[in-house]
Amino acid sequence: MPDPGPNPYLRLRRQMFFGLLTTGLVPLVAMGVAGFVANRDSVEQRTRAGLEAMIKNRKVTVELFLEQTLRQLEILSAHGVAELSDPVTLAKLRDYARREHGALLDLGLIDDHGRHVAYAGPYDLMQVNYRNEAWFQQVMLHGQYQSDVFLGFRRFPHLVIAVKKPEAGHDFILRATVDSDLLSALVREGGLESGADVFILNRAAEYQTSYLDKHKLMARADTDAIPRHSGTRLVEVRRGQCREIMATSWLRGEQWVLVARQELPGVSALVFAHPAVPAVFLLGILLVPILAYLIARHRFRQVRSLESERAALYASVSQTQKMATIGRMAASIAHEINNPLAIIHAQVGALADSLEDVDLPHSQDLRQRIQKIEAQVERGRKVTHRLLGFSRRVGPDAESIDVAAALDETVGFLEKEVEAEHIGIVRQYDLNAPIVRSSLAQMQQVFLNLINNAVDSVNEVDRKGEIRLSIYARHDGVEVRIADNGAGIAPHNLGRLFEPFFSTKAGKDDHTGLGLSICQEIMRGLGGRITVESTQGVGTTFALRFPLDIESDRGDATTPPERSS
Amino acid sequence: MAALKLLLVDDEAEFLEPTAARLARRQVACTTVEGGAAALAALAKERFDCAVVDVKMPGMDGLELLRHIRGEYPEVAVVLLTGHASVELGVQGIDLGAFEYLMKPVDLDELLDTARRAAAHKALG
């Protein structure tokens, strides 16, 4: 039996482990990735929908505000120039407008030379001339005007709206400063989700609304100028590590564009949005290798146990075959020896007969010598008959066995070794032990193995070796005990004693470590069992239980007549 | 008891001669032949009570001779004698109608006793 070595087993075990690991992890990871992508897409969809709804809503609000402001200025301009030129009346109108709408910071009436006719407001602007200002030209040309946010003469960011008021052949301009803070507040009204932002840009992408120190009025925004387009446009932009969706919508007149941005959640934000999900995933990732390891270990043990059983079976079969071969050889040798023995026996018998007829001087001595020859022939006959008896019993057929005789015959095989080592054999047989039906050859193989082991064991120690053979009658069969006073077996080896290829006899050439496992296999096959007790330094006892009748369905009860000695 | 007439069949003359001499001393009429063919020839000429036949012989072996005797001389009892023993052979010999099955070397008294019992058994049968 070639030793397969530990490496193929380890490789098999590793392959099992990684196979199971892959089988477990691949679907788990695939599901995780698919789930992540689906979640990300769904979040993006929701973000787009939310932004679109918000920007439409804000656009309506802002356009309404700007329109109302302009409308208010137009209503104020319905008053006559005479009224508007009076600073007191103008201040009253301004106060009224502030109460109504709150957006107008000041109010000024300017003549067609760009000079203030009247002014109501917090700034000192009476001396300022607007004739060369661009907005002045715009109002004169188009009748009304709305500026971007700018600093102007007030040195304060604001925006200006103005309407032309023609009267008495002159063009006057009613001009108001609008609080840009109000616009800023309006744009962000109702609060925003985290990661969201909304603001207004002019055509040059400069902020028209402010928010804390994030958007500074008139500062250039961190985006390119927005090309003009109709309706709402959604684009995805990347800013540093972040991805965001940007929604843009041009306000009426296409002077300003309303911009709303929403950051998309990053990988970690998406993963940890619902902590139970990554927790379950992580648990799976941890559990799969553990389960793979446990299953691989279990399967591996099963495989190894099957392998051991197979090896033991193979060893048992090959041992049986070996014994059968030895048996056939023994039979053929015995035959070759028996024929000359028969001739010697016959010739010596005839010689003895002849001696009876004559009276020779030394006939007594001759008779003694003839008896010695006959005794040696008898000895030779016993040897060959025992060999033939041994060979004949190789086979699985059940027969009636006197266990004591079978045990003694086995000891006979080992007589020489036992004598050479001065080992004492102590027999303690229960004469009431029943005859059992079993396989003699297999029973004797077990005896032979155990007595051999006992001889080896007592040879290891200095004291005089003793092997004690006991037979007990049991209610369900016969128990045989084979005990030695040898070295004993270490407790940690005791449990592995019957494992195939396990051996405590290191360095013995002919030792396979299969003997006891074969014994166990045979005892199982015979419907019996083998147990062992051992105390280190004291000795070892093997106990064998044989049933009364081997549990067998081989119905051949024909036992040939016993003919050998 | 009538004098026993024995036919001893073996391929070894060295065995036949002293055995026949010893039987003669014991007043047993014994004819010896080497081989199965010679045995059949002897049986054709003379009547025997019992044939003691070695199993392993060149040419016609003991079992074949046994078959011939059973077929042609059913009144002759057969005792098989061999240096080789196996259960199969023993069972086969008994099945073929041999009275007994003895192993070499055999004690002369045992041989004679068995041959007498075989002849008596045949006479009764």
Side-chain angles (χ1 to χ4, degrees):
Chain A
M1 184 72 194
D3 181 12
N7 288 337
Y9 281 125
L10 275 181
R11 202 171 59 219
L12 180 69
R13 189 169 168 170
R14 217 173 294 141
Q15 278 170 352
M16 276 187 199
F17 173 70
F18 284 114
L20 286 164
L21 196 66
T22 312
T23 317
L25 283 185
V26 164
L28 192 65
V29 170
M31 268 171 58
V33 170
F36 173 80
V37 168
N39 187 30
R40 191 189 61 185
D41 289 353
S42 133
V43 165
E44 201 173 311
Q45 286 297 326
R46 279 206 309 273
T47 305
R48 283 172 180 272
L51 269 183
E52 201 167 355
M54 180 180 81
I55 202 163
K56 277 180 180 161
N57 173 289
R58 297 295 154 98
K59 185 184 179 189
V60 169
T61 309
V62 170
E63 280 180 344
L64 199 64
F65 170 78
L66 291 173
E67 201 179 304
Q68 275 182 352
T69 311
L70 200 63
R71 187 74 52 230
Q72 199 172 34
L73 199 64
E74 277 172 2
I75 290 166
L76 290 176
S77 72
H79 292 274
V81 170
E83 272 181 283
L84 296 172
S85 303
D86 174 24
V88 178
T89 311
L90 197 64
K92 275 183 183 165
L93 286 172
R94 188 203 69 155
D95 292 345
Y96 166 76
R98 274 185 75 87
R99 274 198 302 277
E100 283 291 298
H101 189 50
L104 301 185
L105 288 176
D106 63 4
L107 209 54
L109 187 68
I110 296 153
D111 66 16
D112 49 3
H113 298 293
R115 288 185 305 239
H116 261 120
V117 179
Y119 174 78
Y123 307 104
D124 181 17
L125 296 173
M126 282 307 287
Q127 303 310 314
V128 175
N129 192 316
Y130 293 112
R131 195 175 42 201
N132 297 323
E133 296 294 317
W135 68 265
F136 183 79
Q137 307 298 329
Q138 289 279 325
V139 185
M140 285 303 181
L141 212 59
H142 300 296
Q144 64 180 48
Y145 171 76
Q146 177 208 316
S147 74
D148 284 348
V149 175
F150 68 111
L151 287 173
F153 295 106
R154 293 169 182 76
R155 304 283 145 215
F156 173 81
H158 64 284
L159 70 101
V160 159
I161 55 170
V163 292
K164 189 162 83 171
K165 180 182 168 53
E167 194 175 301
H170 290 283
D171 283 336
F172 292 89
I173 290 171
L174 190 59
R175 176 193 178 283
T177 304
V178 176
D179 188 350
S180 67
D181 286 350
L182 208 62
L183 192 63
S184 297
L186 207 60
V187 163
R188 301 186 65 89
E189 196 173 47
L192 293 170
E193 282 181 40
S194 81
D197 199 2
V198 61
F199 47 85
I200 293 172
L201 298 180
N202 64 7
R203 287 174 189 170
E206 288 161 353
Y207 285 116
Q208 301 300 304
T209 54
S210 69
Y211 175 61
L212 303 178
D213 54 356
K214 213 165 148 194
H215 312 147
K216 289 219 163 68
L217 281 171
M218 301 182 309
R220 170 73 198 230
D222 56 351
T223 175
D224 294 334
I226 310 293
R228 252 164 280 185
H229 61 81
S230 61
T232 302
R233 177 179 287 176
L234 291 167
V235 286
E236 189 183 312
V237 288
R238 182 169 279 283
R239 285 205 304 167
Q241 294 292 321
C242 292
R243 288 191 319 136
E244 61 178 28
I245 304 286
M246 184 166 83
T248 52
S249 187
W250 284 90
L251 297 176
R252 197 174 300 150
E254 294 188 338
Q255 186 177 343
W256 289 351
V257 60
L258 184 62
V259 179
R261 292 201 295 213
Q262 172 74 57
E263 264 180 31
L264 288 170
V267 173
S268 63
L270 276 173
V271 167
F272 293 107
H274 305 285
V277 176
V280 167
F281 184 74
L282 202 69
L283 197 69
I285 294 283
L286 285 175
L287 271 179
V288 165
I290 294 171
L291 284 175
Y293 173 78
L294 291 176
I295 294 170
R297 193 178 62 169
H298 177 69
R299 290 288 300 140
F300 171 73
R301 282 179 181 172
Q302 277 184 327
V303 165
R304 195 160 65 170
S305 146
L306 279 175
E307 192 67 20
S308 299
E309 278 172 31
R310 203 184 61 82
L313 185 68
Y314 177 84
S316 165
V317 166
S318 81
Q319 180 73 3
T320 308
Q321 281 172 348
K322 200 162 79 185
M323 298 294 272
T325 307
I326 291 169
R328 277 194 295 275
M329 271 180 65
S332 134
I333 291 166
H335 176 77
E336 294 307 320
I337 291 169
N338 277 345
N339 273 323
L341 277 182
I343 293 169
I344 295 167
H345 186 253
Q347 295 286 5
V348 169
L351 190 60
D353 285 354
S354 303
L355 268 180
E356 313 245 314
D357 299 338
V358 292
D359 188 21
L360 291 173
H362 306 294
S363 55
Q364 187 58 32
D365 178 51
L366 285 174
R367 265 194 290 275
Q368 278 178 1
R369 287 182 191 280
I370 284 168
Q371 274 166 15
K372 279 179 184 165
I373 294 172
E374 282 180 330
Q376 291 308 308
V377 168
E378 178 60 19
R379 186 174 160 194
R381 195 182 73 99
K382 270 190 181 166
V383 170
T384 57
H385 283 203
R386 198 161 62 193
L387 273 175
L388 287 168
F390 177 69
S391 75
R392 207 194 54 196
R393 287 162 196 166
V394 175
D397 289 333
E399 53 194 298
S400 297
I401 299 164
D402 174 2
V403 177
L407 186 56
D408 280 342
E409 194 174 49
T410 314
V411 175
F413 295 144
L414 295 165
E415 231 161 27
K416 262 188 156 176
E417 287 176 53
V418 169
E419 274 171 23
E421 304 290 345
H422 304 289
I423 297 168
I425 302 279
V426 180
R427 290 177 172 82
Q428 194 179 1
Y429 296 171
D430 182 347
L431 296 175
N432 295 321
I435 298 290
V436 298
R437 283 188 58 78
S438 195
S439 162
L440 182 60
Q442 298 194 345
M443 184 189 280
Q444 286 191 320
Q445 197 185 332
V446 174
F447 292 159
L448 196 65
N449 275 339
L450 294 182
I451 297 170
N452 250 328
N453 282 352
V455 170
D456 288 342
S457 181
V458 295
N459 283 344
E460 282 174 29
V461 292
D462 292 334
R463 61 174 169 269
K464 180 175 160 47
E466 187 181 277
I467 298 173
R468 185 177 288 272
L469 306 171
S470 324
I471 299 176
Y472 303 96
R474 301 288 186 219
H475 71 282
D476 57 350
V478 173
E479 180 170 322
V480 175
R481 287 177 169 263
I482 297 171
D484 66 64
N485 64 344
I489 298 156
H492 62 272
N493 284 333
L494 215 52
R496 303 186 55 201
L497 213 55
F498 295 106
E499 282 180 20
F501 308 113
F502 176 78
S503 176
T504 55
K505 300 182 189 175
K508 290 215 169 186
D509 296 342
D510 59 343
H511 196 71
T512 57
L514 284 171
L516 286 175
S517 82
I518 290 172
C519 285
Q520 194 179 42
E521 279 305 307
I522 291 175
M523 290 308 290
R524 272 193 204 132
L526 296 179
R529 62 170 190 271
I530 179 169
T531 52
V532 61
E533 286 169 27
S534 185
T535 309
Q536 224 170 352
V538 176
T540 305
T541 302
F542 283 93
L544 303 163
R545 281 292 277 271
F546 295 97
L548 281 176
D549 197 346
I550 179 172
E551 287 164 10
S552 156
D553 53 0
R554 281 187 242 108
D556 91 51
T558 329
T559 312
E562 187 67 33
R563 273 162 217 291
S564 64
S565 62
Chain B
M1 188 195 278
L4 183 69
K5 283 198 68 170
L6 214 57
L7 179 66
L8 197 57
V9 190
D10 200 307
D11 59 329
E12 298 266 11
E14 294 287 294
F15 173 74
L16 290 175
E17 185 272 321
T19 307
R22 299 192 71 194
L23 288 168
R25 263 186 76 82
R26 286 159 179 78
Q27 277 82 46
V28 175
C30 175
T31 303
T32 61
V33 286
E34 289 183 42
L40 287 176
L43 282 163
K45 279 189 274 179
E46 220 176 318
R47 190 197 147 274
F48 293 95
D49 297 310
C50 178
V52 176
V53 179
D54 185 27
V55 173
K56 202 180 173 194
M57 290 185 295
M60 187 190 294
D61 73 6
L63 291 178
E64 203 182 333
L65 178 58
L66 171 63
R67 274 190 213 101
H68 277 288
I69 295 174
R70 294 297 300 160
E72 297 161 34
Y73 311 100
E75 71 283 2
V76 181
V78 176
V79 171
L80 291 174
L81 189 63
T82 184
H84 186 291
S86 72
V87 174
E88 294 77 31
L89 204 56
V91 171
Q92 209 180 341
I94 303 295
D95 283 352
L96 285 171
F99 175 76
E100 256 294 20
Y101 182 87
L102 295 176
M103 268 197 71
K104 282 181 176 179
V106 67
D107 184 67
L108 191 71
D109 293 333
E110 193 187 345
L111 176 67
L112 201 50
D113 179 57
T114 308
R116 284 205 170 104
R117 283 195 287 118
H121 179 79
K122 193 55 82 181
L124 283 173

mmCIF file of all heavy atoms in Angstrom, chain A residues 315-347:
data_model
loop_
_atom_site.group_PDB
_atom_site.id
_atom_site.type_symbol
_atom_site.label_atom_id
_atom_site.label_comp_id
_atom_site.label_asym_id
_atom_site.label_seq_id
_atom_site.Cartn_x
_atom_site.Cartn_y
_atom_site.Cartn_z
ATOM 1 N N ALA A 315 -5.948 -3.761 3.053
ATOM 2 C CA ALA A 315 -4.919 -4.478 3.807
ATOM 3 C C ALA A 315 -5.448 -5.830 4.256
ATOM 4 O O ALA A 315 -4.749 -6.841 4.189
ATOM 5 C CB ALA A 315 -4.506 -3.647 5.011
ATOM 6 N N SER A 316 -6.725 -5.813 4.709
ATOM 7 C CA SER A 316 -7.327 -7.050 5.193
ATOM 8 C C SER A 316 -7.438 -8.068 4.063
ATOM 9 O O SER A 316 -7.107 -9.238 4.207
ATOM 10 C CB SER A 316 -8.694 -6.724 5.781
ATOM 11 O OG SER A 316 -9.427 -7.895 5.943
ATOM 12 N N VAL A 317 -7.897 -7.575 2.893
ATOM 13 C CA VAL A 317 -8.044 -8.468 1.742
ATOM 14 C C VAL A 317 -6.677 -8.995 1.323
ATOM 15 O O VAL A 317 -6.496 -10.187 1.080
ATOM 16 C CB VAL A 317 -8.728 -7.725 0.569
ATOM 17 C CG1 VAL A 317 -8.578 -8.510 -0.725
ATOM 18 C CG2 VAL A 317 -10.199 -7.514 0.883
ATOM 19 N N SER A 318 -5.698 -8.100 1.261
ATOM 20 C CA SER A 318 -4.397 -8.533 0.789
ATOM 21 C C SER A 318 -3.761 -9.493 1.791
ATOM 22 O O SER A 318 -3.068 -10.425 1.416
ATOM 23 C CB SER A 318 -3.494 -7.331 0.521
ATOM 24 O OG SER A 318 -2.932 -6.870 1.709
ATOM 25 N N GLN A 319 -4.061 -9.266 3.079
ATOM 26 C CA GLN A 319 -3.559 -10.179 4.102
ATOM 27 C C GLN A 319 -4.181 -11.568 3.926
ATOM 28 O O GLN A 319 -3.502 -12.582 3.976
ATOM 29 C CB GLN A 319 -3.884 -9.609 5.498
ATOM 30 C CG GLN A 319 -3.405 -10.459 6.659
ATOM 31 C CD GLN A 319 -1.898 -10.400 6.831
ATOM 32 O OE1 GLN A 319 -1.220 -9.685 6.118
ATOM 33 N NE2 GLN A 319 -1.375 -11.165 7.761
ATOM 34 N N THR A 320 -5.502 -11.579 3.673
ATOM 35 C CA THR A 320 -6.193 -12.851 3.477
ATOM 36 C C THR A 320 -5.614 -13.578 2.263
ATOM 37 O O THR A 320 -5.383 -14.781 2.281
ATOM 38 C CB THR A 320 -7.695 -12.602 3.277
ATOM 39 O OG1 THR A 320 -8.147 -11.797 4.354
ATOM 40 C CG2 THR A 320 -8.478 -13.891 3.256
ATOM 41 N N GLN A 321 -5.373 -12.774 1.192
ATOM 42 C CA GLN A 321 -4.815 -13.381 -0.011
ATOM 43 C C GLN A 321 -3.430 -13.953 0.258
ATOM 44 O O GLN A 321 -3.078 -15.027 -0.210
ATOM 45 C CB GLN A 321 -4.729 -12.337 -1.135
ATOM 46 C CG GLN A 321 -6.078 -12.111 -1.800
ATOM 47 C CD GLN A 321 -6.043 -10.954 -2.766
ATOM 48 O OE1 GLN A 321 -5.069 -10.197 -2.768
ATOM 49 N NE2 GLN A 321 -7.075 -10.809 -3.554
ATOM 50 N N LYS A 322 -2.667 -13.198 1.061
ATOM 51 C CA LYS A 322 -1.310 -13.636 1.378
ATOM 52 C C LYS A 322 -1.369 -14.966 2.141
ATOM 53 O O LYS A 322 -0.624 -15.908 1.845
ATOM 54 C CB LYS A 322 -0.624 -12.563 2.229
ATOM 55 C CG LYS A 322 0.883 -12.658 2.212
ATOM 56 C CD LYS A 322 1.520 -11.363 2.673
ATOM 57 C CE LYS A 322 1.476 -11.255 4.176
ATOM 58 N NZ LYS A 322 1.980 -9.961 4.650
ATOM 59 N N MET A 323 -2.301 -15.000 3.106
ATOM 60 C CA MET A 323 -2.437 -16.213 3.907
ATOM 61 C C MET A 323 -2.854 -17.386 3.017
ATOM 62 O O MET A 323 -2.385 -18.511 3.186
ATOM 63 C CB MET A 323 -3.481 -16.024 5.010
ATOM 64 C CG MET A 323 -3.139 -14.957 6.011
ATOM 65 S SD MET A 323 -1.683 -15.357 7.000
ATOM 66 C CE MET A 323 -2.442 -16.261 8.319
ATOM 67 N N ALA A 324 -3.728 -17.118 2.035
ATOM 68 C CA ALA A 324 -4.189 -18.189 1.152
ATOM 69 C C ALA A 324 -3.017 -18.704 0.318
ATOM 70 O O ALA A 324 -2.864 -19.912 0.117
ATOM 71 C CB ALA A 324 -5.304 -17.675 0.248
ATOM 72 N N THR A 325 -2.186 -17.768 -0.159
ATOM 73 C CA THR A 325 -1.020 -18.163 -0.955
ATOM 74 C C THR A 325 -0.067 -19.005 -0.117
ATOM 75 O O THR A 325 0.410 -20.059 -0.554
ATOM 76 C CB THR A 325 -0.288 -16.904 -1.454
ATOM 77 O OG1 THR A 325 -1.238 -16.078 -2.105
ATOM 78 C CG2 THR A 325 0.814 -17.264 -2.433
ATOM 79 N N ILE A 326 0.183 -18.517 1.117
ATOM 80 C CA ILE A 326 1.060 -19.269 2.014
ATOM 81 C C ILE A 326 0.473 -20.658 2.242
ATOM 82 O O ILE A 326 1.182 -21.660 2.232
ATOM 83 C CB ILE A 326 1.224 -18.525 3.356
ATOM 84 C CG1 ILE A 326 2.038 -17.258 3.142
ATOM 85 C CG2 ILE A 326 1.887 -19.421 4.408
ATOM 86 C CD1 ILE A 326 2.045 -16.321 4.336
ATOM 87 N N GLY A 327 -0.840 -20.706 2.395
ATOM 88 C CA GLY A 327 -1.526 -21.979 2.637
ATOM 89 C C GLY A 327 -1.315 -22.952 1.484
ATOM 90 O O GLY A 327 -0.993 -24.115 1.697
ATOM 91 N N ARG A 328 -1.484 -22.434 0.247
ATOM 92 C CA ARG A 328 -1.321 -23.311 -0.917
ATOM 93 C C ARG A 328 0.118 -23.818 -1.013
ATOM 94 O O ARG A 328 0.359 -24.992 -1.295
ATOM 95 C CB ARG A 328 -1.711 -22.548 -2.194
ATOM 96 C CG ARG A 328 -3.205 -22.560 -2.447
ATOM 97 C CD ARG A 328 -3.530 -22.120 -3.858
ATOM 98 N NE ARG A 328 -3.148 -20.728 -4.080
ATOM 99 C CZ ARG A 328 -3.925 -19.701 -3.761
ATOM 100 N NH1 ARG A 328 -5.106 -19.911 -3.213
ATOM 101 N NH2 ARG A 328 -3.540 -18.473 -3.991
ATOM 102 N N MET A 329 1.068 -22.924 -0.740
ATOM 103 C CA MET A 329 2.479 -23.320 -0.776
ATOM 104 C C MET A 329 2.749 -24.383 0.285
ATOM 105 O O MET A 329 3.427 -25.387 0.032
ATOM 106 C CB MET A 329 3.369 -22.113 -0.515
ATOM 107 C CG MET A 329 3.727 -21.364 -1.783
ATOM 108 S SD MET A 329 4.767 -19.960 -1.368
ATOM 109 C CE MET A 329 6.212 -20.800 -0.735
ATOM 110 N N ALA A 330 2.211 -24.146 1.460
ATOM 111 C CA ALA A 330 2.424 -25.073 2.570
ATOM 112 C C ALA A 330 1.872 -26.450 2.225
ATOM 113 O O ALA A 330 2.517 -27.472 2.472
ATOM 114 C CB ALA A 330 1.754 -24.534 3.831
ATOM 115 N N ALA A 331 0.689 -26.445 1.589
ATOM 116 C CA ALA A 331 0.058 -27.720 1.241
ATOM 117 C C ALA A 331 0.928 -28.491 0.264
ATOM 118 O O ALA A 331 1.123 -29.705 0.397
ATOM 119 C CB ALA A 331 -1.321 -27.448 0.636
ATOM 120 N N SER A 332 1.471 -27.748 -0.719
ATOM 121 C CA SER A 332 2.269 -28.429 -1.734
ATOM 122 C C SER A 332 3.577 -28.957 -1.138
ATOM 123 O O SER A 332 4.006 -30.073 -1.451
ATOM 124 C CB SER A 332 2.474 -27.446 -2.886
ATOM 125 O OG SER A 332 3.783 -27.438 -3.308
ATOM 126 N N ILE A 333 4.175 -28.149 -0.220
ATOM 127 C CA ILE A 333 5.413 -28.605 0.429
ATOM 128 C C ILE A 333 5.119 -29.819 1.309
ATOM 129 O O ILE A 333 5.841 -30.823 1.277
ATOM 130 C CB ILE A 333 6.035 -27.477 1.267
ATOM 131 C CG1 ILE A 333 6.569 -26.385 0.329
ATOM 132 C CG2 ILE A 333 7.151 -28.003 2.162
ATOM 133 C CD1 ILE A 333 6.889 -25.084 1.027
ATOM 134 N N ALA A 334 4.036 -29.762 2.051
ATOM 135 C CA ALA A 334 3.676 -30.849 2.959
ATOM 136 C C ALA A 334 3.501 -32.143 2.180
ATOM 137 O O ALA A 334 3.934 -33.214 2.600
ATOM 138 C CB ALA A 334 2.397 -30.499 3.704
ATOM 139 N N HIS A 335 2.874 -32.013 1.016
ATOM 140 C CA HIS A 335 2.652 -33.190 0.185
ATOM 141 C C HIS A 335 3.983 -33.817 -0.235
ATOM 142 O O HIS A 335 4.166 -35.035 -0.155
ATOM 143 C CB HIS A 335 1.840 -32.800 -1.041
ATOM 144 C CG HIS A 335 1.638 -33.912 -2.000
ATOM 145 N ND1 HIS A 335 0.725 -34.914 -1.769
ATOM 146 C CD2 HIS A 335 2.232 -34.206 -3.177
ATOM 147 C CE1 HIS A 335 0.771 -35.771 -2.761
ATOM 148 N NE2 HIS A 335 1.682 -35.364 -3.643
ATOM 149 N N GLU A 336 4.890 -32.944 -0.676
ATOM 150 C CA GLU A 336 6.191 -33.445 -1.134
ATOM 151 C C GLU A 336 6.949 -34.129 0.003
ATOM 152 O O GLU A 336 7.731 -35.036 -0.220
ATOM 153 C CB GLU A 336 7.036 -32.296 -1.712
ATOM 154 C CG GLU A 336 6.468 -31.679 -2.987
ATOM 155 C CD GLU A 336 6.192 -32.730 -4.058
ATOM 156 O OE1 GLU A 336 7.004 -33.656 -4.205
ATOM 157 O OE2 GLU A 336 5.135 -32.638 -4.719
ATOM 158 N N ILE A 337 6.744 -33.651 1.230
ATOM 159 C CA ILE A 337 7.457 -34.244 2.367
ATOM 160 C C ILE A 337 6.738 -35.502 2.855
ATOM 161 O O ILE A 337 7.362 -36.479 3.266
ATOM 162 C CB ILE A 337 7.598 -33.208 3.494
ATOM 163 C CG1 ILE A 337 8.563 -32.115 3.039
ATOM 164 C CG2 ILE A 337 8.112 -33.852 4.791
ATOM 165 C CD1 ILE A 337 8.589 -30.899 3.927
ATOM 166 N N ASN A 338 5.421 -35.496 2.770
ATOM 167 C CA ASN A 338 4.650 -36.628 3.295
ATOM 168 C C ASN A 338 4.930 -37.932 2.557
ATOM 169 O O ASN A 338 4.950 -38.996 3.168
ATOM 170 C CB ASN A 338 3.149 -36.320 3.237
ATOM 171 C CG ASN A 338 2.715 -35.512 4.437
ATOM 172 O OD1 ASN A 338 3.464 -35.427 5.416
ATOM 173 N ND2 ASN A 338 1.542 -34.922 4.379
ATOM 174 N N ASN A 339 5.130 -37.820 1.236
ATOM 175 C CA ASN A 339 5.387 -39.051 0.483
ATOM 176 C C ASN A 339 6.673 -39.741 0.923
ATOM 177 O O ASN A 339 6.631 -40.933 1.254
ATOM 178 C CB ASN A 339 5.366 -38.767 -1.016
ATOM 179 C CG ASN A 339 3.941 -38.876 -1.557
ATOM 180 O OD1 ASN A 339 3.171 -39.731 -1.109
ATOM 181 N ND2 ASN A 339 3.594 -38.012 -2.481
ATOM 182 N N PRO A 340 7.828 -39.027 0.974
ATOM 183 C CA PRO A 340 9.027 -39.707 1.501
ATOM 184 C C PRO A 340 8.857 -40.156 2.948
ATOM 185 O O PRO A 340 9.342 -41.231 3.320
ATOM 186 C CB PRO A 340 10.141 -38.680 1.365
ATOM 187 C CG PRO A 340 9.506 -37.401 0.952
ATOM 188 C CD PRO A 340 8.159 -37.706 0.398
ATOM 189 N N LEU A 341 8.130 -39.337 3.753
ATOM 190 C CA LEU A 341 7.892 -39.758 5.146
ATOM 191 C C LEU A 341 7.141 -41.088 5.176
ATOM 192 O O LEU A 341 7.439 -41.972 5.984
ATOM 193 C CB LEU A 341 7.080 -38.699 5.900
ATOM 194 C CG LEU A 341 7.844 -37.517 6.498
ATOM 195 C CD1 LEU A 341 6.863 -36.610 7.234
ATOM 196 C CD2 LEU A 341 8.936 -38.006 7.468
ATOM 197 N N ALA A 342 6.162 -41.234 4.260
ATOM 198 C CA ALA A 342 5.366 -42.462 4.210
ATOM 199 C C ALA A 342 6.255 -43.649 3.849
ATOM 200 O O ALA A 342 6.097 -44.752 4.405
ATOM 201 C CB ALA A 342 4.238 -42.299 3.187
ATOM 202 N N ILE A 343 7.203 -43.394 2.922
ATOM 203 C CA ILE A 343 8.114 -44.479 2.515
ATOM 204 C C ILE A 343 9.015 -44.865 3.698
ATOM 205 O O ILE A 343 9.154 -46.052 4.026
ATOM 206 C CB ILE A 343 8.943 -44.050 1.291
ATOM 207 C CG1 ILE A 343 7.997 -43.897 0.077
ATOM 208 C CG2 ILE A 343 10.049 -45.064 0.997
ATOM 209 C CD1 ILE A 343 8.635 -43.223 -1.121
ATOM 210 N N ILE A 344 9.584 -43.842 4.359
ATOM 211 C CA ILE A 344 10.445 -44.123 5.522
ATOM 212 C C ILE A 344 9.660 -44.918 6.556
ATOM 213 O O ILE A 344 10.121 -45.923 7.092
ATOM 214 C CB ILE A 344 10.985 -42.813 6.134
ATOM 215 C CG1 ILE A 344 11.913 -42.101 5.151
ATOM 216 C CG2 ILE A 344 11.716 -43.081 7.467
ATOM 217 C CD1 ILE A 344 12.242 -40.665 5.534
ATOM 218 N N HIS A 345 8.436 -44.450 6.788
ATOM 219 C CA HIS A 345 7.574 -45.081 7.779
ATOM 220 C C HIS A 345 7.337 -46.554 7.435
ATOM 221 O O HIS A 345 7.456 -47.451 8.282
ATOM 222 C CB HIS A 345 6.256 -44.306 7.858
ATOM 223 C CG HIS A 345 5.355 -44.773 8.945
ATOM 224 N ND1 HIS A 345 4.210 -45.494 8.682
ATOM 225 C CD2 HIS A 345 5.416 -44.649 10.296
ATOM 226 C CE1 HIS A 345 3.605 -45.794 9.820
ATOM 227 N NE2 HIS A 345 4.325 -45.279 10.824
ATOM 228 N N ALA A 346 7.035 -46.811 6.159
ATOM 229 C CA ALA A 346 6.743 -48.184 5.728
ATOM 230 C C ALA A 346 7.995 -49.062 5.806
ATOM 231 O O ALA A 346 7.951 -50.207 6.294
ATOM 232 C CB ALA A 346 6.190 -48.148 4.296
ATOM 233 N N GLN A 347 9.122 -48.475 5.312
ATOM 234 C CA GLN A 347 10.373 -49.245 5.312
ATOM 235 C C GLN A 347 10.806 -49.585 6.730
ATOM 236 O O GLN A 347 11.192 -50.713 7.033
ATOM 237 C CB GLN A 347 11.489 -48.434 4.609
ATOM 238 C CG GLN A 347 11.231 -48.181 3.119
ATOM 239 C CD GLN A 347 11.446 -49.423 2.253
ATOM 240 O OE1 GLN A 347 11.705 -50.533 2.778
ATOM 241 N NE2 GLN A 347 11.306 -49.273 0.944
#
